[in-house]
Amino acid sequence: MKDTVIETKNLLKEYRGRAAVKELNLNIGKGEIYGFLGPNGAGKTTTIRMLLGLIKPTSGRIEIFGQELRRNRLQILRKVGSLVESPSYYGHLSALDNLEAIRRILDVPKSRIAEVLDIVSLTGEEKRPVKGFSLGMKQRLGIAAALLGSPELLILDEPTNGLDPSGIQEIRSLIKRLPGEEGITVLVSSHLLSEIEQMAGTVGIIREGQMVYQDTIAHLQEQAAGNLSLAVSEPEAALMTAVRRGCGGELQEGRLILPRMSDARVSLLVKELVEDGHAIYRVEEHRQSLEEFFLQVVGGGAL
Amino acid sequence: MSGSRVWILLLLSPLISLPIGALSDMQEDKVITWQVLLSTMSAVHAMLFLPMLSGIFAALICRNEHSDGGWKQLLALPVTRTSVYFAKYVMIMLLLAAVQLLFLGGVLGIGLYRGAEGGIPWGLLLTSLFGGWFACLPLAALQLAVSQGWSSFGAPLAVNVCFTIPNMLIANSSTYGPYYPWVQPMLAMSPFGEERFGAFNLPLESLMMVVSGSLVLFLAGGLLFFWRKAV
């Protein structure tokens, strides 16, 4: 396992006795893009606010960069850039002045402002008051502000919320570039699986304040891969053949259900079954989309 | 504060006090004294404007954070909540000090223009102005505490106005007057020695003791709330 950047242990946040986040154990490694996924109201923003020290957990531990958050908040936050929910800005100030206010707090060189404006392609718009910006531009300014301090960890809460498709695309490719170029670890939350799927390497799915799935996207895709269904004249005998060939499988409603396998293996198995004298009526592939799998996970389906 | 029109608020009270000072106590045979001039000019200023401005500055200084998620952004930066809170409080103190300085300019201008009696009584003027400023501090701390907690801009102001209006009555009570934050600036600013009634009868030192005590109380209370504020 690589260095852990964010680790939470049994994180709990209660509001008037109702748990918004409970027993949450996050584990995010260095250089990862971690997708934090869950339906609206599942506790994503609550968790992120706790990670930034904006609200206090009812109980549990948060460690960022291996340091306890409560005791080392300032040191940790110096290395963290964040964008929580809707973008924050001072509307009467220009983009430049907004970034300048943050720059003074972070104490980074002035040249960094031009750099981050360039990264989010806001160069040329920086002198206008932010209240006249479109939502996408405000969002990009928020990301610029998050990047200003050259953070090692970037926490972005629903960064593509309310953006048009081209804006979403732009932000997505921006986020994907970050770990490679600057070695940044990114925590990005979303309620859309397709979003996370296209950006993240690791995914954590949260439902009703609890983590229900935490693994790599590749593993998630594997789990959601689906199966092969064969309708044959003598299913029991066909199953024996399949098992003998090491394909595994089981019988469901008189059909032979096999796990997903390569095209070559499918053709070999079918050939053998035909040679054994089976009549094959149907060969079907059931692909469960990732979206279905996700809905199954967040809809309370057991895993 | 840049780009805002806070300077209008700074000028408002000193400007209004000008005609009051220019027209007050017009008697043909007598020249106005500095003390009378100060007490007439500071009446409205200290009774109404100082308490109101304390509240308005406190609300203004939290306004930009309440709108468009400023608190989230600010407090997720490597700053302590204590330093944010004190930075805001110091800004209010400076704004109030600026008002007092402008008001001093107004009093001096009118006094010299009307040829007030004797030389400029610097001791009297500065004690009064500093006292008024200092007496605003607990109120400003209280209003900052309310303003940071209340995301509405108008509500803390409405509350402030409601508590400012009874000043005229409460100033007459020597029991409650000194403890009422909204009337403290008026008590502290009025030139001592002339008006000896109600709460004005109190020595400056004991008023300042009460002011200092409530300043510590309100500032600590507000800070405690701000520490626990969920953003």
Side-chain angles (χ1 to χ4, degrees), chain A residues 87-118:
Chain A
S88 312
Y89 53 89
Y90 296 108
H92 62 291
L93 298 180
S94 69
L96 206 61
D97 291 339
N98 266 283
L99 292 172
E100 174 63 18
I102 299 167
R103 188 197 71 80
R104 284 190 201 169
I105 293 175
L106 293 170
D107 197 24
V108 292
K110 265 203 152 80
S111 58
R112 185 70 191 150
I113 291 183
E115 284 173 37
V116 293
L117 282 171
D118 183 49

Side-chain angles (χ1 to χ4, degrees), chain A residues 25-87:
Chain A
N25 296 302
L26 271 179
N27 200 316
I28 303 177
K30 192 170 161 53
E32 260 184 271
I33 298 186
Y34 185 97
F36 198 30
L37 194 59
N40 292 330
K44 298 187 298 288
T45 300
T46 307
T47 307
I48 285 174
R49 285 159 79 205
M50 283 193 277
L51 291 178
L52 292 169
L54 294 176
I55 51 175
K56 289 191 176 65
T58 309
S59 69
R61 242 174 106 79
I62 300 174
E63 275 184 24
I64 299 181
F65 304 121
Q67 290 175 306
E68 237 252 279
L69 178 66
R70 198 174 302 189
R71 261 181 241 127
N72 307 291
R73 214 181 120 249
L74 288 196
Q75 285 151 269
I76 291 170
L77 288 182
R78 204 168 290 279
K79 299 190 278 182
V80 177
S82 63
L83 172 65
V84 183
E85 282 180 308
S86 51

